[in-house]
């Protein structure tokens, strides 16, 4: 009975994240022969294959929203409210293809994203123009995402890396960033921290950013039964944010509650996700 429940939950969660074509896409990514951008032992494969990505991904979205131009592009073109699961599935597929897929498939995925970015342009409510392919704007999105994934893995990963391993993770993500159009992405954790600091003066919690935070944290498109589970992930995504980012989004700190309840909940949830998504031993050989 436990195995049946595990398999049903695993299929349901994977379908949410990867979409109805997820199994076929996974098979193509992992089973197609050919050279890859990253060898099997590279840190990017360890980080992106861990359940901590569920928390890191939510935290990244909150952090990315603080750049007014990035948030305007998302609000105006991504359809995150009308099709949040579709956006999640496209993002997760891109990460999987570039991390684990063949070099040919990875480059094709990058070319598709670059073509989409090229078409996304407009102006903010204040009349400031934006273009999704702007390397400076891409630099913010990349730095916020990389930092969020890294810190989530450091805190919730099954096997956290050492300092050299996380430096190597940042260097791995730079390979994808360059393919997307960044000329000088950070290549270790020190450079990543410096890059985030350099963007601070450009950041602002606009009305669109706070609306996105309310949607992500309090109004997820989920059945009521799943909301407590999601709420635990969301609470940990907030705790993972830099203190200055939490302040900008008006997300309060309650250290005692966070240490005694929120963080242990995050550990339990990531262990549960890991258990659900890992096939039992007998299933792996059939």
């Amino acid at each position: 009975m436990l195995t049946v429940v595990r398999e049903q939950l695993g299929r349901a969660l994977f379908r949410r994240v990867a979409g109805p074509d997820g199994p076929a896409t996974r098979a193509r990514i992992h089973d197609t022969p050919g050279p890859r951008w990253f060898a099997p032992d590279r840190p990017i494969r360890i980080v992106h294959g861990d359940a901590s990505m569920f928390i890191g991904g939510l935290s990244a979205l909150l952090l990315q929203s603080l750049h007014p131009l990035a948030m305007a592009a998302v609000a105006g073109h991504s359809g995150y409210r009308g099709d949040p699961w579709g956006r999640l599935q496209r993002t997760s597929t891109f990460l999987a293809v570039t991390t684990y897929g063949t070099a040919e498939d990875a480059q094709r995925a990058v070319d598709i994203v670059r073509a989409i970015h090229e078409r996304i342009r407009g102006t903010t409510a204040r009349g400031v123009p934006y273009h999704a392919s702007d390397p400076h704007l891409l630099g913010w999105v990349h730095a916020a995402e990389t930092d969020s994934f890294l810190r989530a893995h450091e805190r919730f990963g099954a096997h956290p890396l050492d300092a050299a391993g996380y430096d190597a993770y940042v260097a791995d993500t730079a390979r994808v960033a360059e393919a997307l159009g960044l000329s000088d992405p950070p290549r270790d954790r020190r450079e990543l921290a410096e890059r985030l600091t350099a963007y601070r003066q450009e950041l602002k919690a606009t009305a669109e950013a706070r609306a996105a935070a309310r949607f992500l944290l309090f109004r997820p498109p989920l059945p009521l039964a799943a909301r407590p589970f999601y709420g635990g992930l969301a609470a940990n995504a907030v705790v993972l944010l830099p203190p200055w980012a939490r302040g900008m989004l008006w997300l309060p700190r309650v250290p005692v509650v966070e240490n005694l309840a929120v963080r242990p909940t995050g550990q339990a949830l990531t262990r549960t996700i890991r258990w659900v998504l890992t096939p039992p031993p007998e299933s792996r050989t059939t």
Side-chain angles (χ1 to χ4, degrees):
M1 176 62 71
L2 186 61
T3 299
V4 172
V5 171
R6 179 182 189 174
E7 291 178 349
Q8 289 177 343
L9 288 173
R11 283 195 297 268
L13 181 57
F14 183 71
R15 187 165 53 247
R16 280 287 192 180
V17 174
D21 297 329
T25 300
R26 178 171 57 188
R28 176 176 58 81
I29 290 170
H30 293 280
D31 298 342
T32 302
R36 264 70 177 165
W37 281 358
F38 305 105
D41 62 343
R42 292 304 302 173
I44 193 171
R45 286 181 166 236
I46 297 170
V47 174
H48 290 180
D50 191 84
S52 60
M53 290 286 284
F54 283 81
I55 294 175
L58 276 171
S59 192
L61 292 174
L62 293 169
L63 185 57
Q64 289 167 344
S65 75
L66 289 174
H67 198 294
L69 301 185
M71 189 62 238
V74 169
H77 301 272
S78 77
Y80 78 93
R81 287 179 178 273
D83 185 25
W85 292 111
R87 186 169 188 263
L88 171 63
Q89 291 155 13
R90 291 188 292 274
T91 300
S92 66
T93 298
F94 177 82
L95 287 169
V97 171
T98 52
T99 303
Y100 306 103
T102 65
E104 182 179 354
D105 273 355
Q107 186 60 55
R108 185 180 300 113
V110 164
D111 291 342
I112 290 171
V113 170
R114 292 192 69 160
I116 292 171
H117 285 171
E118 187 60 36
R119 297 194 298 267
I120 296 177
R121 60 181 73 220
T123 57
T124 68
R126 293 175 174 265
V128 180
Y130 63 80
H131 188 191
S133 65
D134 173 11
H136 183 72
L137 193 56
L138 287 172
W140 163 250
V141 173
H142 170 72
E145 178 180 272
T146 300
D147 185 67
S148 298
F149 290 165
L150 187 158
R151 287 186 294 107
H153 188 270
E154 188 174 43
R155 181 171 296 174
F156 300 108
H159 304 289
L161 305 176
D162 59 15
Y166 284 122
D167 279 345
Y169 169 69
V170 177
D172 284 347
T173 65
R175 168 70 177 87
V176 182
E178 285 182 321
L180 285 169
L182 274 71
S183 59
D184 185 29
R187 299 184 184 279
D188 58 35
R189 199 168 188 179
R190 178 185 59 80
E191 290 184 3
L192 178 61
E194 290 174 352
R195 195 66 53 90
L196 287 169
T197 299
Y199 278 98
R200 285 280 301 275
Q201 62 183 357
E202 302 174 32
L203 305 183
K204 181 180 180 181
T206 62
E208 292 171 324
R210 292 199 176 101
R214 287 194 298 271
F215 178 79
L216 289 169
L217 298 176
F218 307 117
R219 301 171 187 168
L222 288 168
L224 290 176
R227 291 195 178 190
F229 177 87
Y230 178 88
L233 295 176
N236 278 278
V238 170
V239 170
L240 204 63
L241 287 169
W244 53 264
R246 292 180 64 171
M248 293 176 73
L249 288 168
W250 299 345
L251 299 172
R253 293 190 69 237
V254 187
V256 174
V257 174
E258 291 173 6
N259 292 331
L260 295 180
V262 176
R263 292 184 182 182
T265 298
Q267 296 286 0
L269 289 172
T270 49
R271 283 196 296 268
T272 300
I273 293 171
R274 204 172 288 124
W275 176 76
V276 164
L277 291 179
T278 303
E282 61 271 20
S283 297
R284 299 178 209 170
T285 58
T286 58

